[in-house]
Amino acid sequence: SRTMSGLKLLLKRALAFAIDALLFLPVWIFEIFTRGERWSVFVMASVSLLSWGGIWGYRMVSHTLFGTTVGKWILGLSVVGLDSRRPAFGQSTLRELPFLVLAVSFVLAYYLGHSDETTAFHAMVAKISFYLFVLLDIVTSLLRGDGRTLHDLIGKTYVVERQEGKPANRKC
């Protein structure tokens, strides 16, 4: 089998994402503790966009260059394309694009969503869209025999257990 399947893979992937998110914890702590301060909405939205954009940029670059992120590496996982090699940058970008678009929508809606009812409605739609995509991602993984998520299907990738001494190769 190319991949682990089912709940075990999903849980390892979720834990790997949590480990990766810890790398951005200082930025998120700054963001949380300065929300009520006298910072402008523009500054706060920019910090938030940088933190969310940063984590997905980190994931795209890490998957392309190393076939893994710090979290996946710790848990013995790698991302590979259909050819069993590290994904190309385009694949990694496609794989992460839904999350990046939804996260940007979520951030913009959150920070701009306090001004009137129409913008508040857009904020609610952005949040619901983000959570629905995550839910669809989880359900897709659980229903498929190979454990691939929706964003794996979009990027034409798999998450596999890393074979010691055999990193996924990509000729640059």
Side-chain angles (χ1 to χ4, degrees):
S1 167
R2 286 183 79 151
T3 63
M4 289 182 284
S5 61
L7 190 57
K8 180 181 176 185
L9 177 59
L10 189 61
L11 291 174
K12 282 183 93 168
R13 292 176 73 162
L15 184 56
F17 181 81
I19 292 167
D20 290 332
L22 288 175
L23 300 173
F24 292 84
L25 192 59
V27 176
W28 290 341
I29 288 172
F30 171 80
E31 182 184 345
I32 289 167
F33 285 109
T34 57
R35 276 193 184 141
E37 300 297 320
R38 297 185 326 190
W39 298 92
S40 72
V41 170
F42 175 78
V43 169
M44 292 312 302
S46 297
V47 168
S48 192
L49 286 172
L50 286 173
S51 67
W52 282 103
I55 196 165
W56 275 285
Y58 151 77
R59 289 167 50 91
M60 286 184 281
V61 170
S62 294
H63 290 148
T64 302
L65 295 179
F66 310 111
T68 193
T69 61
V70 171
K72 284 185 184 78
W73 181 80
I74 289 170
L75 293 170
L77 300 174
S78 290
V79 175
V80 296
L82 299 179
D83 60 0
S84 297
R85 300 187 317 174
R86 286 180 305 188
F89 186 74
Q91 279 180 287
S92 294
T93 302
L94 280 175
R95 184 176 192 274
E96 299 298 329
L97 194 59
F99 290 111
L100 186 59
V101 168
L102 291 167
V104 167
S105 299
F106 184 88
V107 168
L108 291 176
Y110 177 82
Y111 284 104
L112 303 177
H114 300 293
S115 58
D116 62 32
E117 288 181 25
T118 303
T119 313
F121 174 76
H122 291 135
M124 181 183 67
V125 169
K127 290 174 189 176
I128 291 170
S129 298
F130 183 82
Y131 294 128
L132 278 177
F133 186 83
V134 171
L135 181 63
L136 281 172
D137 218 34
I138 292 167
V139 169
T140 301
S141 176
L142 292 173
L143 292 178
R144 291 182 56 86
D146 59 7
R148 290 172 75 193
T149 60
L150 188 54
H151 72 276
D152 286 325
L153 295 171
I154 291 168
K156 297 181 181 176
T157 59
Y158 284 85
V159 173
V160 297
E161 286 188 286
R162 189 178 62 249
Q163 297 177 0
E164 291 303 318
K166 293 186 177 182
N169 295 317
R170 163 82 38 211
K171 293 181 182 175
C172 297

